[in-house]
């Protein structure tokens, strides 16, 4: 005993260095106490640091729901310099003021990054559903002109998230991720799942959460936006590949009322020759509201669900189906979940057992949300989903109301007990848990079909579960269209790369007879142009159907504009699928805010209506009406849109081949069928064949477009399109490199292989120039190469 005491004394003597304050060095950082607060600083890597604070002797520990990375032993130097305890890795200097407990972060060269506001950690005693805990808050000091991004989907139309206050409780159209990143190259993740307020003003930037046994946040230094995204994914999970077919065009509506109607829509698209890869079945296929989400086809209009799915598949299309996180009282899942006390008691959708609107409170539906935090409840959920739907060959899931819906919330609602404590304590992580449950269970059943989940809500880490988040039931307007752009960009900057919105807006409350309304028809055409350059291109909504033939016929302006962008989407599939591999393999991002590629261009940092799709295509959606005059469509005059070409490169007009210098504001003509698109000089873009669905034709005769003006490269990725063999290395890549000065294209040796891989193919090389910028205008290609997997270099 005396010897152990002597060793402890020596340790403390070493770490105090004569200071009145002491600390303990651990394998991953330090522990100490200052006044009445315990501190722990943990290095997860040389550039990722976790900061923990809690009331003294409270023994705060937490298993994160979002963070799956474990701290790794990192070489750090720990030293006291006066009042400052300094922890230094190869990438970061973390300083803890031993007098007041303030933590600050600098680069290894001493460049300031972020500092806590002095004495700003707050612990306020709080009784949470009968348990003594705390409300917690931490404030930081940002530079005056610093730009920050992230926080999820806010529907506020802002790119830079400064000078705002947001109360974060997941809801239909707002998805909250308590994370932001700075144009200074760092990110901060506030790891708390309770209702949280984010506030930024002239005095401070803070997170304040209703429930927390301690303060828990992660600081990461990625040097740039891509680096921060990569570190957030390193912390919370990497992104699996989606099947190729998910990148085609998707048709949906609220709702197809019979299997004949749904199959008929697919048939109509095939008859018209308009490409389509997916059809979505919305709610009520289970019957009445007391059978809500029964995970069975109990509606007599869906008389043979196996035939319905087979009919869709026989037309070379795919199908996903609406599932919810709640169950009606007459369903089998409800009864089994209730038997293990895994149903919550609060007001959710639908409110009434009757279909009539408004809901009749005399006939409550009795629908209850299930406890997705409970692993046994997730098992039950999947058991019925697998037996009733997945076993029929369903291709994917539309998890609606994954927040979940919680109407007129009362404080007592949050006292509902989950498997992990009160609902209040874990409320915002609900979508992560329910989406994760479906993903994990399907992966256990089969590796032959990739998981694809379309879902309405998101939390940090959800990117690891094969999910694409849509922005909720937005009300259609030009303003709403514009807001969907910054929504997707800020979510992507949180490390969650897959996003889409209801093309055309969900509700059409502001439009009478929308399909005959010139303003709405123009809005829909512009929204579908934007949708063609999102990770998922999906038309959906209520109040009016959205199929292409609802907007006229071939030869009419709206129809032709819609068809043009669906076809354009399919021609870009080799580019899109290769970009998706870059997202999974290299932690890249598909919808790229301009800060990602032009961090030094101050004019680009706060642009909320332009972005890069992949690393080559600048997308400039039209978000104002141009051709609706007094309720009539007037296409006689060509209108214009003002846009900014970021500095540091030249840009080639996708439609004309004209080259322009970056760093300038220009105006671009925007007839109804033109959304301004510019390609970065030095880009190489593969163009796929004309198809009716994604896998109709092999990529054995690709057009390879070269955009001159700079050196560049592109890696073409291919695999079996829909299984997890790529995780075993069964895929191939072909790297294209362009040397601009000597006009030389080099196609490298193919790396890798997979079953069904093309042994030989044509690459039709086209140098884009005015009057010769695509396969429709080119009289001939600059070069056609027969490629057999070996290096080819050609001077053009």
């Amino acid at each position: 005993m005396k010897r152990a005491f002597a060793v402890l004394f020596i340790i403390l003597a070493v770490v105090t260095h004569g200071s009145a304050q002491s600390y303990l060095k651990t394998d991953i950082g330090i522990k100490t106490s200052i006044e009445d607060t315990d501190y722990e600083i943990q290095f997860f890597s040389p550039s990722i640091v976790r900061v923990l604070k809690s009331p003294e002797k409270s023994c705060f520990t937490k298993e994160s729901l979002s963070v799956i990375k474990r701290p790794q032993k990192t070489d750090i130097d720990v030293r006291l310099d006066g009042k400052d305890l300094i922890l230094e890795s190869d990438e970061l200097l973390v300083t803890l003021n031993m007098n007041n407990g303030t933590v600050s972060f600098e680069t290894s060269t001493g460049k300031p990054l972020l500092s806590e506001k002095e004495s700003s950690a707050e612990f306020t005693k709080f009784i949470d559903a009968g348990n003594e805990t705390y409300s917690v808050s931490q404030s930081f000091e940002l530079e005056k002109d610093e730009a920050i991004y992230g926080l999820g989907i806010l529907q506020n139309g802002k790119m830079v998230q400064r000078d705002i206050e947001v109360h974060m409780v997941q809801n239909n159209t707002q998805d909250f991720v308590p994370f932001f990143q700075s144009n200074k190259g760092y990110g901060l993740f506030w790891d708390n799942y309770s209702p949280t307020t984010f506030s930024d003003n002239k005095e401070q930037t803070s997170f304040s959460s209703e429930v927390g046994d301690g303060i828990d946040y992660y600081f990461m230094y990625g040097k740039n936006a891509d680096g921060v995204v990569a570190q957030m994914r390193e912390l919370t999970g990497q992104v699996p590949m989606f099947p190729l077919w998910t990148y085609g065009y998707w048709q949906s509506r609220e709702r197809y009322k019979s299997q004949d109607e749904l199959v008929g829509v697919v048939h109509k698209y095939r008859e018209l020759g308009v490409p389509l890869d997916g059809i979505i079945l919305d709610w009520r296929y289970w019957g009445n509201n007391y059978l809500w989400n029964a995970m069975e086809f109990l509606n007599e209009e869906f008389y043979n669900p196996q035939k319905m799915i087979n009919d869709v598949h026989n037309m070379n299309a795919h199908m996903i189906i609406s599932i919810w996180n709640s169950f009606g009282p007459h369903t089998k899942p409800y009864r089994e979940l209730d038997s293990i006390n895994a149903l919550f008691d609060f007001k959710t959708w639908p409110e009434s057992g009757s279909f009539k609107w408004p809901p009749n409170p005399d006939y409550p539906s009795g629908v209850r949300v299930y406890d997705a935090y409970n692993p046994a409840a997730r098992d039950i959920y999947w058991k019925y989903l697998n037996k009733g739907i997945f076993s029929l060959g369903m291709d994917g899931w539309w998890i609606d109301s994954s927040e979940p819906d919680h109407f007129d919330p009362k404080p007592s609602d949050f006292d509902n007990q989950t498997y992990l404590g009160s609902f209040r304590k874990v409320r915002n992580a609900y979508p992560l848990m329910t989406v994760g449950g479906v993903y994990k269970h399907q992966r256990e059943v089969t590796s032959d079909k990739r998981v694809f989940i379309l879902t309405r809500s998101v939390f940090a880490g959800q990117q690891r579960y094969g999910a694409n988040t849509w922005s909720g039931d937005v009300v259609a307007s030009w303003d709403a269209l514009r807001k969907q752009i910054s929504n997707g960009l800020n979510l992507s900057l949180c490390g969650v790369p897959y996003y889409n919105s209801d093309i055309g807006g969900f509700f059409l409350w502001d439009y009478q007879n929308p399909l005959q309304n010139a303003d709405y028809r123009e809005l829909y055409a512009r929204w579908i142009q934007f949708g063609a350059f999102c990770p998922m291109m999906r038309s959906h909504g209520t109040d009016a159907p959205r199929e292409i033939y609802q907007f006229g016929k071939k030869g009419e302006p709206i129809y032709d504009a819609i068809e043009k962008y669906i076809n354009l989407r399919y021609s870009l599939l080799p580019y899109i699928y290769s970009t998706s591999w870059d997202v999974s393999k290299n932690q890249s991002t598909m919808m790229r805010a301009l800060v990602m590629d032009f961090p030094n261009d101050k004019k680009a940092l706060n642009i909320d209506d332009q972005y890069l799709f992949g690393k080559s295509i600048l997308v400039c959606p039209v978000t104002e009406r141009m051709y609706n005059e007094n309720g009539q469509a007037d296409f006689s005059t060509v209108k214009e849109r003002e846009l900014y070409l970021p500095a540091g490169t030249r840009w080639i007009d996708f439609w004309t081949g004209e080259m322009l210098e970056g760093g300038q504001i220009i105006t671009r003509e925007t007839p109804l069928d033109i959304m301004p698109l510019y390609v970065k000089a030095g880009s190489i873009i593969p163009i796929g064949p004309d198809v009716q669905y994604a896998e109709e034709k092999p990529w054995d005769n690709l057009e390879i477009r070269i955009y001159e003006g700079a050196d560049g490269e592109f890696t073409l990725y291919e695999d079996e399109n829909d299984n997890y063999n790529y995780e075993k290395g069964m895929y191939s890549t072909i790297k294209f490199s362009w040397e601009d000065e000597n006009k030389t294209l080099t196609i490298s040796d193919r790396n890798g292989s997979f079953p069904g891989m093309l042994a030989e193919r044509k690459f039709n090389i086209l140098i884009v120039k005015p009057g010769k910028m695509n396969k429709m205008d080119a009289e001939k290609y600059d070069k056609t190469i027969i490629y057999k997997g070996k290096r080819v270099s050609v001077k053009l």
Side-chain angles (χ1 to χ4, degrees), residues 625-667:
R625 68 174 61 88
M626 293 192 176
Y627 295 99
N628 169 38
E629 300 291 341
N630 300 318
Q632 301 297 316
D634 179 6
F635 303 115
S636 61
T637 303
V638 177
K639 301 294 181 70
E640 297 177 334
R641 182 218 198 273
E642 188 178 88
L643 58 93
Y644 178 70
L645 298 175
T649 187
R650 286 179 282 181
W651 297 95
I652 296 91
D653 189 311
F654 180 84
W655 304 109
T656 69
E658 178 188 10
M659 182 179 287
L660 297 168
E661 292 293 331
Q664 62 171 323
I665 295 173
I666 66 166
T667 56

Short mmCIF file of all heavy atoms in Angstrom, two decimals, residues 625-667:
data_model
loop_
_atom_site.label_atom_id
_atom_site.label_comp_id
_atom_site.label_asym_id
_atom_site.label_seq_id
_atom_site.Cartn_x
_atom_site.Cartn_y
_atom_site.Cartn_z
N ARG A 625 -39.34 33.12 -61.16
CA ARG A 625 -40.17 32.97 -62.35
C ARG A 625 -39.67 33.90 -63.45
O ARG A 625 -39.23 35.03 -63.18
CB ARG A 625 -41.64 33.24 -62.04
CG ARG A 625 -41.96 34.67 -61.68
CD ARG A 625 -43.47 34.88 -61.52
NE ARG A 625 -44.04 34.07 -60.47
CZ ARG A 625 -44.11 34.42 -59.20
NH1 ARG A 625 -43.61 35.59 -58.82
NH2 ARG A 625 -44.66 33.64 -58.30
N MET A 626 -39.72 33.43 -64.68
CA MET A 626 -39.27 34.24 -65.81
C MET A 626 -40.29 34.29 -66.94
O MET A 626 -40.33 35.26 -67.68
CB MET A 626 -37.94 33.69 -66.33
CG MET A 626 -36.79 33.84 -65.35
SD MET A 626 -35.18 33.53 -66.09
CE MET A 626 -34.11 33.92 -64.69
N TYR A 627 -41.10 33.25 -67.06
CA TYR A 627 -41.94 33.15 -68.25
C TYR A 627 -43.42 33.10 -67.94
O TYR A 627 -44.23 32.70 -68.76
CB TYR A 627 -41.51 31.93 -69.08
CG TYR A 627 -40.12 32.11 -69.60
CD1 TYR A 627 -39.03 31.53 -68.96
CD2 TYR A 627 -39.87 32.93 -70.68
CE1 TYR A 627 -37.74 31.73 -69.42
CE2 TYR A 627 -38.59 33.15 -71.15
CZ TYR A 627 -37.53 32.54 -70.51
OH TYR A 627 -36.25 32.76 -70.98
N ASN A 628 -43.80 33.54 -66.76
CA ASN A 628 -45.21 33.59 -66.39
C ASN A 628 -45.61 35.06 -66.29
O ASN A 628 -45.20 35.77 -65.37
CB ASN A 628 -45.43 32.88 -65.07
CG ASN A 628 -46.82 33.13 -64.51
OD1 ASN A 628 -47.79 33.18 -65.25
ND2 ASN A 628 -46.90 33.31 -63.20
N GLU A 629 -46.37 35.51 -67.25
CA GLU A 629 -46.82 36.90 -67.27
C GLU A 629 -48.33 36.93 -67.07
O GLU A 629 -49.09 36.45 -67.91
CB GLU A 629 -46.46 37.56 -68.61
CG GLU A 629 -44.97 37.58 -68.90
CD GLU A 629 -44.20 38.51 -67.97
OE1 GLU A 629 -44.83 39.39 -67.37
OE2 GLU A 629 -42.97 38.33 -67.85
N ASN A 630 -48.76 37.49 -65.93
CA ASN A 630 -50.19 37.63 -65.65
C ASN A 630 -50.93 36.30 -65.77
O ASN A 630 -52.03 36.22 -66.32
CB ASN A 630 -50.82 38.67 -66.58
CG ASN A 630 -50.19 40.03 -66.43
OD1 ASN A 630 -49.92 40.48 -65.31
ND2 ASN A 630 -49.93 40.71 -67.55
N GLY A 631 -50.28 35.26 -65.26
CA GLY A 631 -50.92 33.96 -65.27
C GLY A 631 -50.83 33.21 -66.59
O GLY A 631 -51.35 32.11 -66.71
N GLN A 632 -50.16 33.79 -67.57
CA GLN A 632 -50.01 33.16 -68.87
C GLN A 632 -48.54 32.86 -69.13
O GLN A 632 -47.66 33.63 -68.77
CB GLN A 632 -50.56 34.06 -69.98
CG GLN A 632 -52.03 34.41 -69.83
CD GLN A 632 -52.93 33.19 -69.90
OE1 GLN A 632 -52.74 32.33 -70.75
NE2 GLN A 632 -53.90 33.14 -69.01
N ALA A 633 -48.27 31.74 -69.79
CA ALA A 633 -46.90 31.37 -70.14
C ALA A 633 -46.51 32.09 -71.43
O ALA A 633 -47.13 31.87 -72.47
CB ALA A 633 -46.80 29.87 -70.32
N ASP A 634 -45.52 32.94 -71.33
CA ASP A 634 -45.05 33.70 -72.49
C ASP A 634 -43.58 33.38 -72.72
O ASP A 634 -42.71 33.84 -71.98
CB ASP A 634 -45.24 35.20 -72.23
CG ASP A 634 -44.75 36.05 -73.40
OD1 ASP A 634 -44.38 35.47 -74.44
OD2 ASP A 634 -44.74 37.29 -73.27
N PHE A 635 -43.30 32.58 -73.74
CA PHE A 635 -41.93 32.15 -74.01
C PHE A 635 -41.31 32.94 -75.16
O PHE A 635 -40.28 32.54 -75.71
CB PHE A 635 -41.90 30.66 -74.35
CG PHE A 635 -42.50 29.79 -73.28
CD1 PHE A 635 -43.66 29.06 -73.52
CD2 PHE A 635 -41.91 29.71 -72.03
CE1 PHE A 635 -44.22 28.27 -72.53
CE2 PHE A 635 -42.46 28.92 -71.03
CZ PHE A 635 -43.61 28.21 -71.28
N SER A 636 -41.92 34.06 -75.54
CA SER A 636 -41.46 34.80 -76.71
C SER A 636 -40.18 35.59 -76.46
O SER A 636 -39.45 35.90 -77.40
CB SER A 636 -42.56 35.76 -77.18
OG SER A 636 -42.87 36.70 -76.15
N THR A 637 -39.90 35.89 -75.19
CA THR A 637 -38.71 36.65 -74.85
C THR A 637 -37.77 35.79 -74.04
O THR A 637 -38.19 35.13 -73.08
CB THR A 637 -39.06 37.92 -74.04
OG1 THR A 637 -39.98 38.70 -74.78
CG2 THR A 637 -37.81 38.73 -73.75
N VAL A 638 -36.49 35.80 -74.40
CA VAL A 638 -35.50 35.01 -73.65
C VAL A 638 -35.03 35.83 -72.46
O VAL A 638 -34.53 36.95 -72.61
CB VAL A 638 -34.31 34.63 -74.54
CG1 VAL A 638 -33.27 33.88 -73.73
CG2 VAL A 638 -34.78 33.78 -75.72
N LYS A 639 -35.17 35.27 -71.25
CA LYS A 639 -34.78 35.95 -70.02
C LYS A 639 -33.36 35.53 -69.61
O LYS A 639 -32.75 34.66 -70.24
CB LYS A 639 -35.78 35.64 -68.91
CG LYS A 639 -37.21 36.04 -69.24
CD LYS A 639 -37.37 37.55 -69.35
CE LYS A 639 -38.81 37.94 -69.67
NZ LYS A 639 -39.71 37.71 -68.55
N GLU A 640 -32.86 36.16 -68.54
CA GLU A 640 -31.48 35.91 -68.10
C GLU A 640 -31.41 35.68 -66.60
O GLU A 640 -32.29 36.13 -65.85
CB GLU A 640 -30.58 37.11 -68.46
CG GLU A 640 -30.44 37.37 -69.94
CD GLU A 640 -29.59 38.60 -70.22
OE1 GLU A 640 -29.53 39.49 -69.33
OE2 GLU A 640 -28.99 38.68 -71.30
N ARG A 641 -30.35 35.01 -66.19
CA ARG A 641 -30.04 34.82 -64.78
C ARG A 641 -28.63 35.30 -64.53
O ARG A 641 -27.72 35.02 -65.30
CB ARG A 641 -30.14 33.34 -64.39
CG ARG A 641 -29.89 33.07 -62.91
CD ARG A 641 -29.10 31.77 -62.75
NE ARG A 641 -29.16 31.19 -61.42
CZ ARG A 641 -28.34 31.49 -60.41
NH1 ARG A 641 -27.42 32.44 -60.57
NH2 ARG A 641 -28.44 30.89 -59.25
N GLU A 642 -28.45 36.05 -63.44
CA GLU A 642 -27.11 36.48 -63.04
C GLU A 642 -26.47 35.40 -62.19
O GLU A 642 -27.13 34.77 -61.36
CB GLU A 642 -27.21 37.79 -62.25
CG GLU A 642 -25.87 38.42 -61.95
CD GLU A 642 -26.01 39.75 -61.21
OE1 GLU A 642 -26.06 39.72 -59.96
OE2 GLU A 642 -26.09 40.80 -61.87
N LEU A 643 -25.18 35.18 -62.40
CA LEU A 643 -24.48 34.16 -61.62
C LEU A 643 -23.01 34.54 -61.48
O LEU A 643 -22.51 35.44 -62.17
CB LEU A 643 -24.63 32.78 -62.27
CG LEU A 643 -24.14 32.63 -63.71
CD1 LEU A 643 -22.71 32.13 -63.77
CD2 LEU A 643 -25.05 31.68 -64.48
N TYR A 644 -22.32 33.82 -60.60
CA TYR A 644 -20.91 34.11 -60.33
C TYR A 644 -20.07 32.90 -60.72
O TYR A 644 -20.38 31.75 -60.34
CB TYR A 644 -20.70 34.41 -58.85
CG TYR A 644 -19.25 34.66 -58.48
CD1 TYR A 644 -18.60 35.82 -58.92
CD2 TYR A 644 -18.54 33.75 -57.72
CE1 TYR A 644 -17.26 36.04 -58.60
CE2 TYR A 644 -17.20 33.97 -57.40
CZ TYR A 644 -16.57 35.12 -57.84
OH TYR A 644 -15.25 35.34 -57.53
N LEU A 645 -19.01 33.15 -61.48
CA LEU A 645 -18.04 32.12 -61.82
C LEU A 645 -16.87 32.23 -60.87
O LEU A 645 -16.16 33.24 -60.88
CB LEU A 645 -17.56 32.29 -63.27
CG LEU A 645 -18.63 32.17 -64.35
CD1 LEU A 645 -18.03 32.48 -65.72
CD2 LEU A 645 -19.27 30.78 -64.34
N PRO A 646 -16.67 31.25 -59.99
CA PRO A 646 -15.60 31.34 -58.99
C PRO A 646 -14.23 31.55 -59.61
O PRO A 646 -13.94 31.09 -60.72
CB PRO A 646 -15.69 30.00 -58.26
CG PRO A 646 -17.11 29.57 -58.44
CD PRO A 646 -17.49 30.04 -59.81
N ALA A 647 -13.39 32.26 -58.86
CA ALA A 647 -12.05 32.62 -59.32
C ALA A 647 -11.10 31.43 -59.21
O ALA A 647 -11.35 30.47 -58.49
CB ALA A 647 -11.52 33.80 -58.50
N GLY A 648 -10.01 31.54 -59.96
CA GLY A 648 -8.96 30.53 -59.85
C GLY A 648 -8.99 29.48 -60.95
O GLY A 648 -8.14 28.60 -60.99
N THR A 649 -9.97 29.58 -61.83
CA THR A 649 -10.06 28.63 -62.94
C THR A 649 -10.86 29.28 -64.05
O THR A 649 -11.45 30.35 -63.88
CB THR A 649 -10.73 27.32 -62.50
OG1 THR A 649 -10.66 26.37 -63.56
CG2 THR A 649 -12.19 27.54 -62.12
N ARG A 650 -10.88 28.65 -65.21
CA ARG A 650 -11.76 29.05 -66.29
C ARG A 650 -12.94 28.09 -66.36
O ARG A 650 -12.86 26.96 -65.87
CB ARG A 650 -11.00 29.09 -67.61
CG ARG A 650 -10.07 30.30 -67.71
CD ARG A 650 -9.30 30.32 -69.02
NE ARG A 650 -8.18 29.39 -68.99
CZ ARG A 650 -7.32 29.23 -69.99
NH1 ARG A 650 -7.48 29.92 -71.12
NH2 ARG A 650 -6.32 28.38 -69.88
N TRP A 651 -14.01 28.55 -66.96
CA TRP A 651 -15.25 27.79 -66.99
C TRP A 651 -15.76 27.68 -68.41
O TRP A 651 -15.71 28.65 -69.17
CB TRP A 651 -16.32 28.47 -66.11
CG TRP A 651 -15.94 28.51 -64.67
CD1 TRP A 651 -15.33 29.54 -64.02
CD2 TRP A 651 -16.12 27.47 -63.71
NE1 TRP A 651 -15.12 29.22 -62.71
CE2 TRP A 651 -15.61 27.95 -62.49
CE3 TRP A 651 -16.68 26.20 -63.76
CZ2 TRP A 651 -15.63 27.18 -61.33
CZ3 TRP A 651 -16.71 25.43 -62.61
CH2 TRP A 651 -16.19 25.93 -61.41
N ILE A 652 -16.26 26.49 -68.77
CA ILE A 652 -16.80 26.25 -70.10
C ILE A 652 -18.30 26.03 -69.98
O ILE A 652 -18.77 25.19 -69.20
CB ILE A 652 -16.13 25.02 -70.76
CG1 ILE A 652 -14.64 25.28 -70.99
CG2 ILE A 652 -16.81 24.71 -72.08
CD1 ILE A 652 -13.74 24.84 -69.88
N ASP A 653 -19.05 26.82 -70.76
CA ASP A 653 -20.50 26.68 -70.78
C ASP A 653 -20.86 25.28 -71.29
O ASP A 653 -20.48 24.88 -72.39
CB ASP A 653 -21.09 27.76 -71.70
CG ASP A 653 -22.60 27.84 -71.62
OD1 ASP A 653 -23.26 26.80 -71.72
OD2 ASP A 653 -23.13 28.97 -71.48
N PHE A 654 -21.61 24.54 -70.48
CA PHE A 654 -21.97 23.16 -70.83
C PHE A 654 -22.77 23.10 -72.12
O PHE A 654 -22.67 22.14 -72.89
CB PHE A 654 -22.78 22.55 -69.68
CG PHE A 654 -23.22 21.13 -69.92
CD1 PHE A 654 -22.37 20.08 -69.64
CD2 PHE A 654 -24.49 20.84 -70.40
CE1 PHE A 654 -22.76 18.75 -69.86
CE2 PHE A 654 -24.90 19.53 -70.62
CZ PHE A 654 -24.03 18.48 -70.34
N TRP A 655 -23.57 24.13 -72.37
CA TRP A 655 -24.49 24.10 -73.51
C TRP A 655 -23.87 24.64 -74.79
O TRP A 655 -24.27 24.22 -75.89
CB TRP A 655 -25.75 24.90 -73.18
CG TRP A 655 -26.44 24.43 -71.95
CD1 TRP A 655 -26.51 25.08 -70.74
CD2 TRP A 655 -27.17 23.22 -71.78
NE1 TRP A 655 -27.22 24.34 -69.84
CE2 TRP A 655 -27.65 23.20 -70.45
CE3 TRP A 655 -27.47 22.14 -72.61
CZ2 TRP A 655 -28.41 22.14 -69.95
CZ3 TRP A 655 -28.23 21.09 -72.12
CH2 TRP A 655 -28.69 21.09 -70.80
N THR A 656 -22.91 25.55 -74.69
CA THR A 656 -22.37 26.19 -75.89
C THR A 656 -20.89 25.91 -76.13
O THR A 656 -20.39 26.13 -77.23
CB THR A 656 -22.54 27.72 -75.82
OG1 THR A 656 -21.68 28.25 -74.78
CG2 THR A 656 -23.99 28.09 -75.52
N GLY A 657 -20.15 25.49 -75.10
CA GLY A 657 -18.72 25.28 -75.24
C GLY A 657 -17.90 26.54 -75.09
O GLY A 657 -16.67 26.50 -75.19
N GLU A 658 -18.55 27.68 -74.83
CA GLU A 658 -17.82 28.94 -74.67
C GLU A 658 -17.01 28.92 -73.38
O GLU A 658 -17.51 28.51 -72.33
CB GLU A 658 -18.81 30.11 -74.64
CG GLU A 658 -18.17 31.47 -74.43
CD GLU A 658 -19.17 32.58 -74.22
OE1 GLU A 658 -20.38 32.28 -74.05
OE2 GLU A 658 -18.75 33.75 -74.23
N MET A 659 -15.75 29.40 -73.45
CA MET A 659 -14.89 29.45 -72.27
C MET A 659 -14.89 30.86 -71.69
O MET A 659 -14.76 31.84 -72.42
CB MET A 659 -13.46 29.03 -72.62
CG MET A 659 -12.51 29.03 -71.43
SD MET A 659 -10.83 28.49 -71.86
CE MET A 659 -11.08 26.72 -72.09
N LEU A 660 -15.00 30.95 -70.36
CA LEU A 660 -15.03 32.23 -69.66
C LEU A 660 -14.06 32.19 -68.49
O LEU A 660 -13.82 31.14 -67.90
CB LEU A 660 -16.44 32.52 -69.14
CG LEU A 660 -17.54 32.68 -70.20
CD1 LEU A 660 -18.91 32.67 -69.54
CD2 LEU A 660 -17.34 33.97 -71.00
N GLU A 661 -13.53 33.36 -68.15
CA GLU A 661 -12.63 33.48 -67.00
C GLU A 661 -13.43 33.47 -65.71
O GLU A 661 -14.54 34.04 -65.63
CB GLU A 661 -11.81 34.76 -67.08
CG GLU A 661 -10.79 34.79 -68.21
CD GLU A 661 -9.68 33.77 -68.02
OE1 GLU A 661 -9.35 33.44 -66.85
OE2 GLU A 661 -9.15 33.28 -69.02
N GLY A 662 -12.87 32.84 -64.67
CA GLY A 662 -13.50 32.86 -63.36
C GLY A 662 -13.27 34.19 -62.66
O GLY A 662 -12.51 35.04 -63.12
N GLY A 663 -13.97 34.36 -61.52
CA GLY A 663 -13.82 35.58 -60.75
C GLY A 663 -14.69 36.71 -61.23
O GLY A 663 -14.42 37.88 -60.92
N GLN A 664 -15.76 36.40 -61.96
CA GLN A 664 -16.62 37.47 -62.48
C GLN A 664 -18.09 37.08 -62.38
O GLN A 664 -18.46 35.91 -62.39
CB GLN A 664 -16.28 37.78 -63.94
CG GLN A 664 -16.48 36.62 -64.89
CD GLN A 664 -16.34 37.02 -66.36
OE1 GLN A 664 -16.76 38.10 -66.76
NE2 GLN A 664 -15.74 36.15 -67.16
N ILE A 665 -18.92 38.12 -62.27
CA ILE A 665 -20.36 37.96 -62.33
C ILE A 665 -20.78 38.10 -63.79
O ILE A 665 -20.35 39.02 -64.48
CB ILE A 665 -21.07 39.01 -61.46
CG1 ILE A 665 -20.73 38.80 -59.98
CG2 ILE A 665 -22.58 38.95 -61.66
CD1 ILE A 665 -21.24 39.90 -59.07
N ILE A 666 -21.59 37.16 -64.25
CA ILE A 666 -22.06 37.22 -65.63
C ILE A 666 -23.58 37.06 -65.64
O ILE A 666 -24.19 36.71 -64.63
CB ILE A 666 -21.43 36.11 -66.50
CG1 ILE A 666 -21.89 34.71 -66.02
CG2 ILE A 666 -19.90 36.21 -66.49
CD1 ILE A 666 -21.59 33.60 -67.01
N THR A 667 -24.18 37.32 -66.78
CA THR A 667 -25.58 36.99 -67.00
C THR A 667 -25.65 35.92 -68.08
O THR A 667 -24.88 35.95 -69.04
CB THR A 667 -26.41 38.21 -67.42
OG1 THR A 667 -25.82 38.80 -68.59
CG2 THR A 667 -26.47 39.24 -66.30
#
